[in-house]
Amino acid sequence: MDVGRRSLMRHAVTAALLLSAPAVGCTARGNGASEDGRGAGDRTQSPPSTPARKPDRTGPVLVVKIDNVAPARPQTGLDTADLVYAEQVEGGLSRLLAVYATKLPPVIGPVRSAREADLELLRQFDRPVLAFSGAQRRLLPLIDTAPLSAETPERRPDAYFRAAGRAAPHNLYLRPGRLLAAAPGADALPTGFRYGPAPAGGRARTSHTVDYPAARFTFTWSARRHGWQVAMDGKPAVTADGTPLMPATVVVQHVRVRRSDLHDALGNPTPYTETVGSGPAQVLRDGRIYEVTWKRERATDGTEFTAADGTPVNFARGQVWVILTGR
């Protein structure tokens, strides 16, 4: 598809979403059906390579919890995110947490609920704005006291709408311009990330797959587009306007995933993904894979990635995906 036709399609999709029903059937604090998509409710750019430090911040990043079961795809606005985290949720499925620092798209979604582990992960940012559809009742007080701005449809109904043509709960969308006047800029991204030339070594790799109990991510290198084509559950991932999801860097971060004390409406325990600590990881960039070590000493720190000799590992300039997976 040529650039002109793709641009027209992008504007058409965005316009269709913006013209969808503006009223939000808010369920931010309700007890709906399962969070795994089996029910009808909803329960709940690149800076130069420099030493990791706390930069001067120009404002908060926008963080959006994005639905990632099959009925929620294709998503909208995901290609504009600077950083995308994938995490395991109930039933072994996946959910995405997208971070926007350098650009805000007109529409993002579908938006879904937050998880307990998000609070630890988000401490690395300076009072981020978190957009989500709700949370488990016992988690809501923790979110209210966390160092972030929690923005649900209940609190900001003007910023959300239900899109026609999609079944609930996979039809809740965000107008990010209603929450932030402007994107804060690249300095608001995690301080542990470094961008620059590729590290020495590594092995050639054209494809890499990460399996969750009930979800799968595959990243296939495209030399022509200089990025990793994302496939989810065996299907190429594109946005609602047909744009392929193509991060420049993919990080597979091996972490401890344990049970939390929370569960969904069907009794499935909520996994808790621990992102403070250290462990092995793989960095995919430029058609190569690098075995590295990740380290995050405190929740307020960014995650640092180093080679075997302790040298910091640079990421390629562009979008970064971090797949948080159990050891």
Side-chain angles (χ1 to χ4, degrees), residues 163-218:
R166 288 232 179 165
H170 314 295
N171 63 349
L172 181 66
Y173 288 82
L174 172 72
R175 297 183 180 96
R178 303 280 178 95
L179 298 184
L180 288 182
D187 280 349
L189 290 170
T191 57
F193 286 13
R194 301 167 62 101
Y195 300 81
R203 306 186 310 275
R205 178 64 61 92
T206 58
S207 183
H208 191 80
T209 295
V210 181
D211 286 313
Y212 285 6
R216 169 173 291 185
F217 296 88
T218 298

Side-chain angles (χ1 to χ4, degrees), residues 109-282:
V111 180
R112 287 298 297 270
S113 56
R115 292 294 182 275
E116 184 182 7
D118 297 336
L119 302 184
E120 179 178 279
L121 184 60
L122 295 181
R123 287 292 305 280
Q124 65 187 303
F125 300 101
D126 184 15
R127 297 198 66 85
V129 174
L130 175 61
F132 62 109
S133 64
Q136 207 265 4
R137 286 185 180 276
R138 291 170 57 194
L139 178 57
L140 287 168
L142 300 180
I143 294 175
D144 288 340
T145 58
L148 55 80
S149 297
E151 303 291 359
T152 63
E154 182 179 59
R155 294 177 178 176
R156 291 297 304 271
D158 62 309
Y160 292 87
F161 67 93
R162 294 279 179 184
R166 288 232 179 165
H170 314 295
N171 63 349
L172 181 66
Y173 288 82
L174 172 72
R175 297 183 180 96
R178 303 280 178 95
L179 298 184
L180 288 182
D187 280 349
L189 290 170
T191 57
F193 286 13
R194 301 167 62 101
Y195 300 81
R203 306 186 310 275
R205 178 64 61 92
T206 58
S207 183
H208 191 80
T209 295
V210 181
D211 286 313
Y212 285 6
R216 169 173 291 185
F217 296 88
T218 298
F219 302 92
T220 302
W221 174 248
S222 171
R224 181 173 66 87
R225 293 174 171 166
H226 207 76
W228 298 88
Q229 169 69 63
V230 181
M232 294 188 286
D233 301 330
K235 296 182 179 180
V238 298
T239 60
D241 65 1
T243 302
L245 296 178
M246 189 80 60
T249 303
V250 177
V251 179
V252 181
Q253 185 175 339
H254 299 271
V255 298
R256 184 187 177 206
V257 181
R258 59 172 173 81
R259 284 189 175 191
S260 78
D261 293 331
L262 307 180
H263 55 80
D264 69 6
L266 299 181
N268 297 307
T270 299
Y272 188 101
T273 300
E274 297 183 359
T275 54
V276 172
S278 61
Q282 290 83 39

Side-chain angles (χ1 to χ4, degrees), residues 18-188:
L18 289 171
L19 290 172
S20 297
V24 176
C26 182
T27 57
R29 295 177 181 259
N31 288 329
S34 169
E35 285 293 341
D36 62 6
R38 288 174 287 178
D42 194 353
R43 212 183 139 80
T44 35
Q45 75 193 336
S46 304
S49 176
T50 55
R53 63 180 179 83
K54 288 287 185 183
D56 295 331
R57 301 194 186 274
T58 59
V61 296
L62 173 66
V63 181
V64 185
K65 288 305 297 285
I66 297 181
D67 203 350
N68 198 37
V69 293
R73 301 173 191 149
Q75 292 100 340
T76 298
L78 193 55
D79 56 317
T80 309
D82 297 277
L83 172 60
V84 178
Y85 287 99
E87 60 186 353
Q88 183 179 326
V89 293
E90 297 84 3
L93 294 165
S94 66
R95 189 156 295 176
L96 305 177
L97 186 151
V99 180
Y100 297 84
T102 61
K103 184 178 180 182
L104 298 178
V107 176
I108 301 172
V111 180
R112 287 298 297 270
S113 56
R115 292 294 182 275
E116 184 182 7
D118 297 336
L119 302 184
E120 179 178 279
L121 184 60
L122 295 181
R123 287 292 305 280
Q124 65 187 303
F125 300 101
D126 184 15
R127 297 198 66 85
V129 174
L130 175 61
F132 62 109
S133 64
Q136 207 265 4
R137 286 185 180 276
R138 291 170 57 194
L139 178 57
L140 287 168
L142 300 180
I143 294 175
D144 288 340
T145 58
L148 55 80
S149 297
E151 303 291 359
T152 63
E154 182 179 59
R155 294 177 178 176
R156 291 297 304 271
D158 62 309
Y160 292 87
F161 67 93
R162 294 279 179 184
R166 288 232 179 165
H170 314 295
N171 63 349
L172 181 66
Y173 288 82
L174 172 72
R175 297 183 180 96
R178 303 280 178 95
L179 298 184
L180 288 182
D187 280 349

